[in-house]
Every structure is written in structure tokens, then in C-alpha cells.
Amino acid sequence: MTNFNSRVEFYRCPMGAVPFDTNIHFRIKLSRELHCSGAVLAVKDDRFGDTLVNGMYWAGEVDNGYEIWECDLRIDRVGLYWYHFILDTCYGRRFIMKGYGSEGFITDSDWEPRFQLTCYDKDFTTPSWLPGGIMYQIFPDRFCFSGEKKKGIYPDKKLQTEWDRIPDWRPNEFGMITNSDFFQGDLKGITMKLPYLHSLGVTCIYLNPIFEAYSNHRYDTGNYEKIDPILGTEEDFCELCAEAKKLGIHIINDGVFSHTGSDSIYFNRENRYDTLGAYNSKESPYYTWYKFIEWPNIYNSWWGFDTLPEVEELSNSFNEYINGEDGIIRRWIRKGNSGWRLDVADELPDEFIEYIREAIKTEDPEALLLGEVWEDASNKESYGSRRRFLYGKELDSVMNYPFRDAILGFLDCGDARDMLEIVLNVLENYPRPVIRSLMNLLGTHDTERVITLLCGERQHGRGREWQAATKLSPEQRAYGLSRMKLASGILYTLPGVPCIYYGDEVGVEGYKDPFNRATFPWGKEDKTLLDWYQRLGAMRHACGCLADGDLINYGSAGRTMAYIRQDDKEMLLCVFNGAHETITFRVPEEFIGGETYMNTQLEGEWLTIPMNECAFVRANVPEKKPEPVAEENTAEEENAEETETAVEPVAAEIDPDPEIADILATD
């Protein structure tokens, strides 16, 4: 018997994260056998430790020996909160804590997990152009070479002349991996391929770093003000942004602000530049940017790599350089970009991210600020404190690695219900403006290629020599291509925005860096997989409910994942068969005769779905939403709604050290 479920509107309305100062109505349903004489909703402020206490009121009996208790809650400040219910029963003090599926369960201990409540700024908005779109991540050196020879390239950079070869992976004579080989992919090459990206339905390109740097990944920034000469010129970047916008495509840049390169105009350890770097002199204008333990050779560096000296982000000089009126953030927005992705956002101070947001939104309120966070960003802790990423003053959204875990977990024989639970937890914890802009992904420059993960031999810690030599067999590849279709079908229909890591859509394979950063195989693409992605893109743009619709679990279990995306106009049923056999699936009545996509086989009320395939059926919204199969829909809940009594809501009391027992005793 359900006593509370934070994902069911009957028990909590509204559900999910809410703007602060929103009135939230809570209900719990208890067996009369408990002889409950008092109930309290206890809400702990995560940041300040205060507890908000609301007495609950008896609201009537329902059939089969149950009763309803309820209250209203209004929280007047942004933040993260944890809540549970406290009961006085004939068996003594009892608690309703959070169980699987956000279902409440009664226990005699309050050490169990509490329910999460995220309260965000009521004025929080995110860019309107991103929801419903498709992102595409490009590692610039490996996407497309225009063929134009460049000037001003450092002579110690190795320029590859064979586009199809494996990136250099062997250490140099000093045993170091330098990432100094370049395939000469450039900005003009990306501009040339804009029609191709448009054919995929792409609306946003996320570029890995493009600023001058020594390495091919360019996370060791040499000069934030200059495009790397191998990629082209500032004019090339402006042309790319302008031509992309003609096709409805926005460009966002990678902002690497937690560290620079040691080989940079700011640090200048290698003396490549004629500037006075922090390594060269304490009188350098950049000296305060860095934390020296013993100048000049001992300093804080990113994860111990001495080629990546960490910056002091809150140094007045650095902050002004990045976020000032003429700073780096605003400079490149003026050149045509539509926002920034923040590298290692969880290693940047909250205050610094707030400054970045202010700079971005001052220059262009519709520009995007996206953060790299690998965990649940709503309750992320780093460097000893809870992060404030999603309250409305910092990030617009994040790279959504939890969804990746859920998709790949399902394909790796995980139970669909457990994998969807990961998704539903994120949806419950994140503000709606964040959800509609989530960067959903299967692979990035930091992960193995998806097709390799899905069907290749597992790496199990084996080194680069094994990774370089190991390729998919024809049988593995054929199986992997079918699994790629299944994975991408889920990716394209979950809340948020799907992102393609360049080449995934044509079956590029590879293990870890640098093998996951191989060149795009122009002329050798897997046309069948490419056609699948193009059709997915067309479906996504045709179904408006995928932009900001709700997700309703429709009986996901075992090797079958099923859910409905729904807005106020239409709904899309999505079913995925991860089993090694064909399944049949009965659709809700509203979808009989609906519009089908992606070779979906619908006859009457039955879908036939072969192994590793998907089914998609669109229909108009009925007068009443289809009920989730997994949720309880009983007569007593309907009766409870009918017997609800009008009770004057009581405002929450703030007490840093509440005596809950006393409160219960006086109710």
C-alpha cells in the first residue's frame, strides 16, 4: 500500500523541483491500524541546517481502513531541502522515508534516505532556442580538413598527412604523451560540412577548445584571445558562426578556465612567447593568477600535470580578464558564438560561475551556459561543499552523464525499471528549465566510442598497444550497429537535448584517448546508421512533445523499456526491446491507429518489436492522461480526493533546533 510517493500528484502537488515561494500540497495515506494521533512534515535546509516543521491535519477516512493527512508548505528561499514525515502511532514514533521509486515506507528509524526538494529562482530561464533541438560535438582537429594550408604554425607540431591513420599513441623519448600530432581539421572544414550537419537536424554545435594551444586537444590554453593557427583565423570563426546561423545552427565554445597551459602567454614556462609570464617573473601581470608553493617550479596544477598550472579564478585580474566588459566571455559572443560549455565545472568556485553567467547574460540573454558535471548536479558535492549549479544563478544546464549510465546500463542487460529509475530521479531533482536543455549524450572525447562499448571486447585496464591493435570483427560490428540504433532511439526521446559525438552517427569505433578521437571517415560512412540518425532527427523535429513534454513510465520492466512523452497537444509512445527475441507490446487505447516512425510495426493494439529495435507511435492527447502502469491507481485514492476537507494551511515554522516531539504532542 502506498503511503506517499513524491512522483504522484495525489501525494505531492506540484511534483519535482519548484521555484521558491511555491505552495506545495502534501498528502500521506495511513492505515487506521496505526492509530496515528499526530503527523509532521519535517524539512531540513541543506545549506543552513535549519529544519522547517509543518503540522499535518487529518483530512478524512477513505475506504478499506485508510485515512488521509495533509499540509501545505511554502519555502521562501532558494536551495536544496530534504524532507520526511514523522508519525505518532500506537506502536510509537514512526517515520515515512524514501524508498525505491520515490515510494514512501514506514520505519522506526529516520536514518533512511529522505526525499529531495530543489527550490530554484522563480526568474530562472534558459535559452529558448535549444529545447527540441539536436547538439553535435566536434573535436576540431579530427572532423574535416578544408585542404587549406595555414601560416604561423609552431614548427614542433607534427602535421599528419594521412587522414585515415591512427592518432599517435606512443610516448616520446622521454616517456611522455604529448598529444602534439595534428590532422589539420579546421574551422573552414566545419563550415564546409554545415549542410551535412543540417541533414542530421543539428541545431547546436559544441566545439572542443579552439584557442591557441600546444596540444591537439587544446585544453592547455596558450592564448584565449587567438584562434589556433592550425584551425584558421578569427575571420574563419566569425564566418562559421554566421553561416551556421543561416541554417538555424548555434555554436558554443569550450571554456577551460580552471587552468591554462604552462606553454602560454600567461605562464610561459617554455619561453615560447615574448610576454613576461608568471613563471618568468613575480612582476608579471599574470603572477596573481597562479598559486606558487615555491616560485617558479612548484605550483598548483590540474590533477598534478605540471603542464596545466591551475589558476586562481577569483583573482581580480583573472576574473576581469575572463568576465569583464571586454573579457573573453563577451568577446567571443560578440564574434558570433551562442554560449559556453564550462570544462570541469565542479572544479570552479560557485562565485566564479556566477560571474560567468552574469557576463554571458549581459552580452546575450539567450546565450547558453552549460557545465561539465558527471553526477547528479542538483546535489553534487565537491571540495567540501554542496554546489549551487542549478538554482538559477549559475548554469543553464549540464552534460547529462546519468542518462548515459541509464541507457548503457539497459543495453548491458540492466533491468529497464532500474535504469528508468536513474532517469526519473534526475527529472525529479532538476528544475524544469534545466531539464529541457540537458545535454544528453552517449559518448564524448572523454569516453570510449559507444559502438566499441556496446559490442567490443572490454578493455579491462589493458594498455594503449592493445587498444590500438584491437578492432571490431565484422560480426561484432554488425551487432554493434543494431545496438547503436537502440541506444540512439532512447537518447533522442528522453527529456533534454540529444548530442552526437562526431562520427558516432556513422559507426566510428575506438577505445580510450586518443583512439576515441580518430578522424571522421568521410566517404567511408556506414550509410545505414547515418540514415537512421537522419530519420531520428526528422522524427524529433516532427514531435513537439519531445521539446518539453513530460515523461510517463509505461510499464518498463526486464528487457523492455517503455515510456510516453506528452505535452498538452500530443504524445509519443516509445518502446525499446533489449531482449534477444522479438516481443509484442500492447499499446494504450489512445495510440491505436496512431502515426508510426522508424519502421514501427503496429497492428491494432499490438506492437511487434524485433530484438534490439525500437517502436514509436504518436497520437493526440486524450482528455485524460494515460495512467503509468507502474503506479498505483486505486479506488481509495479516488475516494480520498472526494473526501478531502478544506483545511486552512499553516505556514512553516523555522526552527534551527526543533523539538519535534513537543510539536507532535501539541497538535
Side-chain angles (χ1 to χ4, degrees), residues 79-93:
L80 184 66
Y81 298 84
W82 305 95
Y83 67 92
H84 67 293
F85 302 92
I86 307 173
L87 315 174
D88 256 359
T89 77
C90 64
Y91 304 104
R93 181 65 45 80

Side-chain angles (χ1 to χ4, degrees), residues 279-539:
Y279 184 86
N280 310 129
S281 171
K282 293 183 179 181
E283 301 305 315
S284 166
Y286 310 114
Y287 179 76
T288 61
W289 290 19
Y290 304 95
K291 178 67 173 179
F292 288 95
I293 309 303
E294 184 178 320
W295 181 85
N297 290 313
I298 304 177
Y299 46 86
N300 287 350
S301 58
W302 188 78
W303 287 70
F305 294 100
D306 65 358
T307 56
L308 301 175
E310 287 185 339
V311 299
E312 297 285 300
E313 295 92 348
L314 297 179
S315 156
N316 290 335
S317 173
F318 181 76
N319 184 54
E320 181 65 21
Y321 180 77
I322 299 298
N323 298 314
E325 184 175 352
D326 297 315
I328 296 303
I329 292 291
R330 299 180 67 173
R331 171 193 177 100
W332 292 104
I333 293 178
R334 290 168 188 160
K335 299 296 181 183
N337 91 8
S338 295
W340 293 84
R341 175 262 191 189
L342 293 185
D343 183 54
V344 292
D346 56 356
E347 298 182 24
L348 299 173
D350 285 297
E351 188 177 355
F352 183 68
I353 298 176
E354 290 179 10
Y355 289 140
I356 293 176
R357 182 180 185 84
E358 182 180 358
I360 287 177
K361 302 301 181 180
T362 299
E363 192 63 37
D364 179 4
E366 278 286 280
L368 176 69
L369 181 57
L370 183 77
E372 179 193 15
V373 182
W374 287 61
E375 303 84 8
D376 184 327
S378 70
N379 52 42
K380 166 76 176 181
E381 288 189 68
S382 61
Y383 297 92
S385 64
R386 188 83 69 181
R387 304 310 302 268
R388 307 193 298 271
F389 294 135
L390 305 185
Y391 300 159
K393 298 299 185 183
E394 295 188 20
L395 303 175
D396 284 319
S397 198
V398 291
M399 300 177 73
N400 196 4
Y401 281 97
F403 277 19
R404 175 182 185 266
D405 295 341
I407 296 171
L408 297 183
F410 172 62
L411 269 67
D412 193 28
C413 296
D415 187 280
R417 186 167 177 250
D418 294 336
M419 297 306 104
L420 200 59
E421 178 67 11
I422 297 173
V423 172
L424 293 172
N425 266 323
V426 168
L427 298 182
E428 186 172 10
N429 293 345
Y430 284 20
R432 191 67 175 243
V434 173
I435 292 170
R436 63 172 64 102
S437 301
L438 281 170
M439 177 182 166
N440 296 338
L441 51 94
L442 293 174
T444 72
H445 62 289
D446 287 323
T447 67
E448 294 166 280
R449 285 285 179 173
V450 183
I451 193 169
T452 300
L453 276 177
L454 292 177
C455 66
E457 185 177 353
R458 298 299 168 91
Q459 180 203 354
H460 292 311
R462 286 179 281 202
R464 291 187 173 207
E465 185 170 357
W466 179 87
Q467 295 178 56
T470 305
K471 307 295 181 185
L472 299 179
S473 69
E475 295 77 18
Q476 286 175 320
R477 187 168 178 83
Y479 181 66
L481 290 171
S482 68
R483 303 286 272 179
M484 281 291 292
K485 292 180 180 180
L486 189 62
S488 57
I490 303 173
L491 180 74
Y492 269 60
T493 54
L494 286 175
V497 180
C499 183
I500 306 168
Y501 181 47
Y502 80 102
D504 278 352
E505 78 278 17
V506 295
V508 172
E509 60 186 77
Y511 287 92
K512 294 185 176 180
D513 172 22
F515 310 106
N516 59 349
R517 302 174 184 180
T519 53
F520 192 101
W522 297 109
K524 301 177 183 179
E525 305 93 332
D526 185 284
K527 299 295 186 182
T528 302
L529 185 60
L530 175 59
D531 175 71
W532 172 265
Y533 269 87
Q534 289 171 330
R535 290 164 56 213
L536 273 180
M539 181 186 77

